[in-house]
């Protein structure tokens, strides 16, 4: 299989371990004096956006940052709880750059680039040093070293964390670096601004059209380069762990202007979310994967016990150990409760589909801390206190204090949402949409197929393949922003130093703004009978049922036709109140849902063409006798990069994945 001639990944030659070092030593540079005349637009202010903007401004570039929130501190990166991976081997348990590289390739089911993933593993340790220097309060051991814990898909402890709010603390560090540059005048920050289109001039991205969300005014902004750091598109499913404002609009507008979309069907389902409770919900809440370090996942062995618990006739604490099925420990003894997210999610679905679910809907399993609370932590604390024969009550009391220190805010969050005390009763969890591995296709430089347009963090098709390992999202976002783009953007901008700032009166800017205005007016003038949420919920149900944890050809074909019907009905019958020239959240939402509808069709099309199961893409027709994903490396070891011809029509371009340093094999966690 050969890669499409339209795609050039630009992976450097040479040994894997030397590619990034050699690249940094030979890449074109921009003279410090010239950097002051080059303008960079950064769209999004999460970890990737804030770190990139702060780094580029520190280097001397003129930077503008756009975010639709009222402050960069409200970016969705703040929601990441469990931790950030880095190959520092503080635990002396055998970790290394190569092992992080290997775990990431294997965890992604051999559907990611070796060159990109090894670079990610290389720079991971530098991220921790950078964040410590910024004052990020990582947890520490008694002796002062930074503490680590385990996450799914690994057999080492490499995840650095700050209690259950790692994303928040990392974002505050990046935000501080960004605000320093804002204060110095090196960065202009435009909050409450949403990018609604990119502007291409002579084949290169030269700026954006943004809308001031407070006044409704459309604005034109020139840039020698544009960086999209706008996160993922999990909200295409309506219910997800993403913040309600998370959307695909920036990436989708770029896609419609020539940026290929890579692997759109690769969606990560997170196994430890609070189950759906009813139609009233607009989002789901994630319980951090870090909880799987100490929580054991189980369901009753007998269906009658599951039914008794679900109906409230039995307390789960009364069920004897012998009557509990710790199914992950049973099926995957080598990794147990710390199997990768896609494996854990499918296992939970299988148990619930078989009738062992423990809540009223039958869509929940237990995450139970009682055993480790008593016999791992309680016993240790009793020994430290000199108590030789502690009572069960003492073990519980001592262990609860340790668990509270490690995970207290997560336990409090669970109780506030469910009304159940997780110290006394096991948590109920069920898989939910969390992260999207697909995104804009980028080369080694993080540039899309549109010259001058880059995508960082979750906005690109990423380094994670078909499944992301836990705690790698924060790692990738900061790696791209702090340590990759500051080098790679110079390769492009070195040839742009003679390009003067293009006036925004240029006809391409005028044309792009007019297209945006026309689309807004079209939405407002439909004056239909259905709300935006009506269509979003319909789309989300189709996507979850037919393109969620499990897919099949028949369901995907039906979904494509159904989504086309939803799109036609949306543009004929949606009602968007208010006007364009005011603060209008319903108008914002309408534009985003329109993009989700178009994206949903492409996701189903991508899932339909990929006749294999890999990672989070589980085609029911392609599974082993044991119900595991069955890859087809001979036919599908490639990145699917889709080029839009017109709405509803795409051309598939393939980037062949070559494995020269890792032997591709069946993925096993048993």
């Amino acid at each position: 299989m050969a890669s499409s001639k339209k795609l050039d990944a630009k992976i450097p030659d040479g040994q894997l371990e030397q590619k990034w070092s050699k690249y940094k030593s030979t890449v074109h540079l921009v003279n410090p004096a010239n950097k002051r005349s080059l303008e960079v637009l950064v769209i999004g202010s999460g970890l990737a956006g804030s770190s990139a903007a702060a780094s580029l401004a520190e280097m001397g570039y003129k930077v503008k940052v756009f975010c639709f929130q009222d402050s960069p501190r409200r970016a969705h990166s703040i929601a990441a709880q469990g931790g950030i991976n880095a190959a520092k081997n503080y635990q002396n348990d055998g970790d290394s750059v190569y092992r992080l590289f290997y775990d990431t390739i294997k965890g992604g089911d051999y559907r990611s680039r070796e060159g990109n993933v090894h670079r990610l593993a290389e720079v991971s340790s530098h991220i921790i040093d950078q964040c410590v220097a910024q004052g990020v309060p990582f947890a520490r051991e008694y002796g002062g070293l930074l503490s680590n814990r385990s996450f799914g898909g690994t057999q080492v402890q490499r995840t650095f964390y700050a209690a259950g709010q790692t994303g928040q603390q990392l974002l505050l560090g990046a935000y501080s670096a960004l605000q320093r540059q804002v204060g110095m005048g090196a960065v202009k920050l435009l909050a409450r601004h949403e990018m609604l289109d990119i502007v291409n001039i002579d084949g290169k991205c030269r700026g954006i059209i943004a809308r001031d969300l407070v006044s409704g005014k459309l604005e034109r902004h020139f840039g020698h380069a544009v960086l999209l750091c706008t996160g993922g598109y999990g909200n295409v499913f309506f219910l997800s762990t993403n913040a309600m404002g998370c959307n695909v609009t920036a990436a989708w507008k770029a896609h419609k202007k020539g940026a290929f979309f890579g692997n759109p069907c690769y969606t990560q389902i997170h196994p430890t979310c609070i189950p759906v409770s009813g139609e009233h919900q607009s989002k789901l809440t994630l319980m951090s994967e870090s909880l799987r370090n100490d929580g054991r996942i189980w369901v009753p062995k007998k269906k009658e016990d599951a039914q008794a618990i679900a109906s409230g006739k039995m307390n789960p604490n009364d069920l004897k150990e012998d009557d509990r099925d710790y199914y992950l420990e049973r099926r995957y003894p080598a990794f147990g409760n710390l199997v990768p997210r896609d494996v854990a999610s499918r296992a939970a679905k299988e148990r619930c589909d078989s009738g062992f679910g423990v809540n009223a809907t039958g869509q929940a399993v237990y995450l139970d801390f009682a055993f480790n609370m008593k016999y791992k932590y309680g016993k240790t604390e009793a020994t430290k206190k000199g108590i030789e024969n502690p009572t069960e009550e003492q073990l519980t009391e001592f262990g609860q204090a340790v668990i509270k220190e490690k995970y207290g805010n997560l336990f409090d969050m669970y109780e506030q949402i469910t009304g159940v005390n997780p110290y006394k009763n096991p948590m109920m969890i069920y898989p939910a949409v969390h992260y999207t591995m697909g995104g804009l296709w980028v080369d080694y430089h993080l540039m899309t197929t549109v010259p001058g347009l880059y995508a960082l963090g979750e906005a690109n098709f990423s380094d994670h393949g078909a499944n992301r390992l836990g705690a790698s999202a924060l790692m990738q976002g900061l790696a791209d922003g702090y340590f990759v783009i500051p080098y790679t953007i110079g390769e492009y901008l070195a040839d742009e130093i003679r390009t003067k700032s293009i006036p925004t009166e240029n006809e391409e800017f005028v044309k792009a703004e007019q297209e945006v205005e026309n689309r807004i007016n079209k939405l407002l003038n439909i004056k239909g009978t259905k709300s935006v949420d009506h269509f979003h919920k319909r789309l989300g149900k189709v996507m979850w049922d037919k393109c969620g944890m499990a897919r099949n050809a028949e369901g995907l074909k039906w979904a494509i036709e159904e989504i086309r019907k939803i799109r036609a009905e949306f543009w004929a019958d949606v009602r968007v109140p208010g006007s364009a020239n005011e603060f209008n959240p319903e108008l914002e939402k309408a534009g985003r849902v329109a993009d989700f509808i178009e994206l949903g069709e492409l996701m189903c099309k991508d899932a339909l063409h990929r006749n294999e199961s890999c990672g989070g893409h589980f085609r029911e027709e392609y599974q082993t006798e044991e119900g595991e994903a069955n890859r087809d490396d001979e036919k599908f070891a490639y990145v699917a990069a889709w080029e839009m011809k017109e709405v509803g029509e795409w051309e598939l371009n393939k980037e062949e994945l070559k494995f020269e340093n890792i032997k591709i094999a069946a993925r096993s966690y048993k």
Side-chain angles (χ1 to χ4, degrees):
M1 179 200 313
S3 296
S4 167
K5 294 181 180 179
K6 296 180 181 180
L7 301 174
D8 181 3
K10 298 178 182 173
I11 307 295
D13 295 328
Q15 295 293 317
L16 181 69
E17 299 82 1
Q18 299 171 0
K19 288 181 186 292
W20 181 233
S21 297
K22 182 180 178 182
Y23 177 90
K24 291 189 293 182
S25 301
T26 56
V27 68
H28 291 130
L29 301 176
V30 179
N31 182 298
N34 288 331
K35 288 175 182 172
R36 293 193 288 271
S37 63
L38 293 170
E39 301 179 53
V40 180
L41 308 183
V42 179
I43 319 302
S45 62
L47 287 182
S50 287
S51 59
S55 300
L56 295 175
E58 183 74 33
M59 295 170 71
Y61 294 107
K62 294 168 64 177
V63 179
K64 283 183 184 176
V65 175
F66 300 80
C67 66
F68 65 73
Q69 300 94 344
D70 56 357
S71 166
R73 291 176 298 172
R74 294 176 65 85
H76 189 57
S77 299
I78 201 171
Q81 301 160 335
I84 177 171
N85 288 331
K88 277 188 169 291
N89 195 30
Y90 279 175
Q91 305 297 319
N92 196 29
D93 55 2
D95 200 11
S96 64
V97 167
Y98 182 85
R99 193 174 294 277
L100 175 53
F101 158 70
Y102 175 82
D103 286 346
T104 304
I105 293 280
K106 178 184 176 183
D109 222 351
Y110 304 94
R111 290 295 178 263
S112 49
R113 289 187 196 135
E114 285 191 339
N116 283 57
V117 175
H118 197 277
R119 175 177 67 185
L120 179 65
E122 282 183 71
V123 305
S124 65
S125 61
H126 303 310
I127 298 171
I128 304 303
D129 297 336
Q130 170 91 4
C131 294
V132 169
Q134 290 176 338
V136 174
F138 286 120
R140 293 182 181 269
E141 302 288 359
Y142 178 77
L145 279 179
L146 297 182
S147 181
N148 291 124
R149 54 192 179 199
S150 298
F151 262 58
T154 72
Q155 291 180 308
V156 298
Q157 291 181 260
R158 65 161 68 99
T159 303
F160 295 77
Y161 62 96
Q165 48 186 245
T166 312
Q168 178 178 354
Q169 298 301 331
L170 291 173
L171 185 60
L172 287 173
Y175 170 74
S176 298
L178 172 63
Q179 286 300 114
R180 176 174 179 270
Q181 298 300 326
V182 172
M184 295 170 62
V187 171
K188 183 176 181 180
L189 175 62
L190 292 95
R192 288 293 192 188
H193 279 68
E194 181 170 27
M195 191 205 97
L196 293 180
D197 210 349
I198 64 168
V199 179
N200 295 334
I201 299 176
D202 297 329
K204 295 182 179 181
C205 183
R206 293 301 191 189
I208 68 167
I209 304 299
R211 180 171 180 265
D212 182 329
L213 298 181
V214 177
S215 68
K217 180 183 177 183
L218 296 180
E219 301 176 0
R220 310 168 193 169
H221 296 272
F222 165 79
H224 289 88
V226 175
L227 277 54
L228 299 184
C229 310
T230 49
Y233 49 87
N235 278 350
V236 69
F237 293 87
F238 186 70
L239 286 179
S240 80
T241 66
N242 292 185
M244 290 177 65
C246 293
N247 63 86
V248 75
T249 289
W252 197 248
K253 300 307 185 192
H255 175 53
K256 296 176 83 166
K257 285 290 183 72
F260 292 7
F261 212 100
N263 297 334
C265 80
Y266 286 166
T267 305
Q268 179 168 88
I269 312 296
H270 199 296
T272 55
C273 296
I274 297 177
V276 175
S277 60
E279 289 293 323
H280 62 282
Q281 281 185 274
S282 56
K283 75 175 301 294
L284 299 174
T285 303
L286 171 69
M287 289 288 100
S288 170
E289 181 170 322
S290 61
L291 296 174
R292 287 201 276 153
N293 274 281
D294 294 310
R296 301 177 72 194
I297 297 173
W298 65 273
V299 293
K301 287 182 179 179
K302 302 174 184 176
K303 289 185 180 180
E304 53 265 34
D305 288 339
Q307 292 166 0
I309 290 173
S311 62
K313 296 177 180 178
M314 179 188 290
N315 187 307
N317 293 321
D318 295 334
L319 197 65
K320 296 178 181 178
E321 280 291 308
D322 291 343
D323 293 327
R324 300 181 182 191
D325 179 15
Y326 295 94
Y327 58 88
L328 291 179
E329 298 172 29
R330 168 173 57 82
R331 291 179 59 177
Y332 309 101
F335 283 74
N337 295 297
L338 286 170
V339 292
R341 291 174 174 177
D342 61 320
V343 177
S345 295
R346 282 196 297 275
K349 182 179 187 296
E350 184 276 327
R351 288 289 80 194
C352 291
D353 289 350
S354 299
F356 296 94
V358 296
N359 69 349
T361 65
Q363 303 293 298
V365 300
Y366 281 128
L367 180 62
D368 196 341
F369 293 83
F371 183 86
N372 284 325
M373 190 184 298
K374 287 183 181 179
Y375 304 114
K376 178 181 177 181
Y377 295 117
K379 201 166 184 180
T380 299
E381 291 300 303
T383 301
K384 287 159 66 173
K385 296 176 186 297
I387 303 174
E388 292 187 9
N389 297 301
T391 64
E392 290 290 305
E393 290 73 18
Q394 286 177 312
L395 289 175
T396 299
E397 179 187 348
F398 297 154
Q400 181 172 320
V402 177
I403 292 290
K404 189 176 184 67
E405 183 178 353
K406 293 185 72 172
Y407 308 114
N409 64 315
L410 299 174
F411 276 56
D412 293 342
M413 186 192 310
Y414 181 87
E415 184 170 9
Q416 288 169 5
I417 292 171
T418 67
V420 176
N421 184 338
Y423 294 107
K424 296 181 179 179
N425 295 283
M427 289 182 178
M428 283 197 292
I429 57 168
Y430 192 72
V433 172
H434 179 55
Y435 186 93
T436 48
M437 281 76 65
L440 295 180
W441 183 92
V442 293
D443 60 20
Y444 192 74
H445 303 177
L446 303 184
M447 189 187 287
T448 69
T449 47
V450 177
L453 179 67
Y454 294 79
L456 282 65
E458 195 179 354
N460 69 35
F461 83 102
S462 87
D463 303 338
H464 309 298
N467 174 66
R468 178 175 67 78
L469 292 182
S472 287
L474 301 183
M475 174 175 64
Q476 188 214 349
L478 290 179
D480 287 356
Y482 280 139
F483 297 106
V484 178
I485 198 66
Y487 284 99
T488 63
I489 200 171
E491 180 74 14
Y492 174 75
L493 291 180
D495 293 329
E496 295 297 315
I497 57 177
R498 295 176 183 82
T499 301
K500 303 299 182 185
S501 180
I502 298 175
T504 54
E505 289 76 24
N506 179 283
E507 61 178 342
E508 293 299 331
F509 275 96
V510 174
K511 179 182 176 183
E513 182 182 329
Q514 188 62 54
E515 289 173 353
V516 171
E517 185 176 345
N518 291 344
R519 184 178 175 89
I520 289 174
N521 289 335
K522 184 177 180 180
L523 285 168
L524 290 167
N525 290 330
I526 295 171
K527 301 187 185 303
T529 63
K530 302 290 194 306
S531 70
V532 175
D533 278 346
H534 166 83
F535 292 100
H536 197 178
K537 287 180 179 180
R538 280 181 60 191
L539 173 68
K541 181 168 176 51
V542 171
M543 294 300 297
W544 178 248
D545 289 346
K546 306 302 181 184
C547 197
M549 265 198 283
R551 301 104 184 255
N552 60 58
E554 182 181 356
L556 290 166
K557 289 175 183 176
W558 178 87
I560 290 171
E561 294 305 315
E562 188 66 17
I563 291 169
R564 288 172 178 168
K565 292 178 184 176
I566 293 172
R567 186 174 77 230
E569 290 180 36
F570 175 89
W571 286 104
D573 199 27
V574 72
R575 182 169 186 82
V576 183
S579 68
N581 300 316
E582 64 177 350
F583 177 63
N584 191 343
E586 282 299 304
L587 176 59
E588 299 168 32
K589 193 192 301 181
R592 295 167 186 172
V593 171
D595 294 330
F596 278 139
I597 294 172
E598 294 176 6
L599 166 67
E601 182 178 346
L602 178 59
M603 291 174 68
C604 293
K605 190 178 183 70
D606 187 38
L608 180 61
H609 105 277
R610 190 171 282 277
N611 293 324
E612 65 164 352
S613 290
C614 58
H617 168 64
F618 190 76
R619 283 282 297 271
E620 293 173 338
E621 308 97 319
Y622 305 100
Q623 56 182 300
T624 66
E625 292 181 358
E626 297 177 322
E628 305 293 346
N630 191 6
R631 291 194 326 266
D632 185 344
D633 299 321
E634 187 175 328
K635 296 180 180 177
F636 293 99
Y638 60 76
V639 177
W642 295 90
E643 177 184 7
M644 179 178 271
K645 296 300 184 180
E646 58 182 77
V647 174
E649 288 192 23
W650 291 270
E651 178 184 315
L652 173 61
N653 299 276
K654 301 177 182 179
E655 179 203 336
E656 180 185 2
L657 292 171
K658 298 178 181 179
F659 297 93
E660 301 170 343
N661 299 274
I662 282 182
K663 182 180 179 182
I664 194 167
R667 192 171 59 136
S668 174
Y669 293 94
K670 296 182 178 182

